[in-house]
Amino acid sequence: MRIIVTKDYESMSKRAANMVAAALKEKPNLVLGLATGGTPIGMYQVLIELYKAGQVDFCQMTTFNLDEYCGLSPEHPQSYHYYMNHNLFSHINMKPKRINIPDGTSGNMEDECLRYEDAMQQAGGIDLQILGIGVNGHIGFNEPGAPFGGKTGVVELTESTIEANARFFESSEEVPRRAISMGIKSIMRARRIILLASGNNKAEAVFHAALGPVTPDLPASALQLHPDATMILDKEAAALFMEKYGDLEVTFSL
Ligand code: PGA
């Protein structure tokens, strides 16, 4: 696993956006896996700036989002459909038909999960997957205990995730209890993975994910088994690596 430590959230976001832009230049019909939450917003802003400056072209790109809440329509301001439109898609030249996000309002969740897995395969698989990480080490909505062999499915959110996400809702009661999420196996099939983390509250999770035992108790630890996984951290998220290895602006491999 490669670890890139950047000085702050802005540098983390720029670094990640530049890696996406480079991948897109190399392969204009890139299949990009996308994450939501607070962390990737800065990266999306830089990608929008690069687009406006004529430095990236998204017209052939296909995207697959990691997850969506069950029961929220695409118009709901807290749905991940809404988030993606608001934070990225409405500002760039993505073709709507190449945007894929699980349908959290499907009448048949099981079919929707199968359809989503199939759509990823049909697109040729994900070239580059962007991930955030939960304070409990979750990736997508794969909470501790989720099997490494899991494909896209309906998952129950843990209390810690409901609490962490309550800041986007009026109250924690409003946070949906279930979501459709790519499974860990679906994520691990991506040819390349970039995990972003910012802030002290992520320091433990990223440190143990990279250096601790590989275990479903810490879903992100599965990335140790991936041949091309990179963490891009700001210095607060990298605090425990810094304690162990010193130095600030560094890239190293574990
Ligand atoms: P955050 O969420 O980016 O809002 O911290 C990350 C996650 O829960 O995966």
Side-chain angles (χ1 to χ4, degrees):
M1 174 139 36
R2 230 170 124 231
I3 316 281
I4 298 174
V5 182
T6 58
K7 71 175 190 305
D8 54 20
Y9 179 77
E10 204 188 332
S11 315
M12 178 203 77
S13 302
K14 275 193 187 146
R15 190 75 178 244
N18 287 338
M19 284 164 85
V20 171
L24 205 48
K25 257 185 200 140
E26 202 180 305
K27 187 179 179 198
N29 62 347
L30 188 76
V31 181
L32 183 65
L34 295 174
T36 51
T39 311
I41 288 179
M43 179 190 79
Y44 293 144
Q45 284 168 350
V46 179
L47 285 172
I48 293 166
E49 282 162 23
L50 291 173
Y51 169 68
K52 288 188 173 155
Q55 291 177 30
V56 274
D57 181 359
F58 296 97
C59 77
Q60 292 183 57
M61 182 170 84
T62 296
T63 59
F64 284 90
N65 265 77
L66 282 169
D67 43 25
E68 177 58 288
Y69 289 115
C70 290
L72 297 194
S73 72
E75 295 76 35
H76 190 289
Q78 300 312 333
S79 74
Y80 290 157
H81 280 77
Y82 185 96
Y83 169 108
M84 287 309 308
N85 277 328
H86 183 73
N87 289 306
L88 183 66
F89 296 147
S90 64
H91 306 281
I92 62 173
N93 64 335
M94 270 295 293
K95 292 266 190 321
K97 66 172 189 215
R98 297 211 174 97
I99 294 170
N100 297 278
I101 305 177
D103 178 4
T105 58
S106 168
N108 187 331
M109 289 292 175
E110 212 167 293
D111 278 2
E112 172 57 10
C113 295
L114 291 171
R115 182 198 68 75
Y116 203 67
E117 274 294 321
D118 193 51
M120 283 188 269
Q121 307 272 0
Q122 295 296 325
I126 291 176
D127 293 306
L128 172 58
Q129 176 69 53
I130 304 297
L131 294 178
I133 183 169
V135 288
N136 63 2
H138 74 202
I139 46 176
F141 273 125
N142 295 285
E143 303 284 20
F148 282 1
K151 294 190 185 172
T152 302
V154 175
V155 294
E156 303 283 333
L157 273 51
T158 60
E159 275 309 313
S160 92
T161 298
I162 291 167
E163 282 310 313
N165 291 2
R167 68 189 197 275
F168 299 114
F169 292 79
E170 298 270 304
S171 72
S172 60
E173 281 74 53
E174 282 185 25
V175 182
R177 267 42 187 172
R178 297 193 314 153
I180 294 184
S181 178
M182 278 188 206
I184 294 182
K185 184 166 184 178
S186 333
I187 293 170
M188 291 289 283
R189 272 200 302 245
R191 288 181 265 283
R192 191 172 162 212
I193 295 178
I194 295 177
L195 181 146
L196 305 180
S198 162
N200 283 325
N201 63 337
K202 302 291 174 67
E204 291 267 347
V206 292
F207 184 74
H208 295 297
L211 289 175
V214 175
T215 164
D217 293 341
L218 190 67
S221 67
L223 300 189
Q224 290 183 38
L225 306 175
H226 195 281
D228 191 351
T230 301
M231 285 184 176
I232 309 181
L233 313 174
D234 69 5
K235 70 178 185 208
E236 291 186 346
L240 299 182
F241 291 105
M242 294 295 102
E243 262 175 37
K244 193 171 164 80
Y245 297 108
D247 272 333
L248 195 61
E249 195 96 22
V250 292
T251 301
F252 55 95
S253 297
L254 296 171

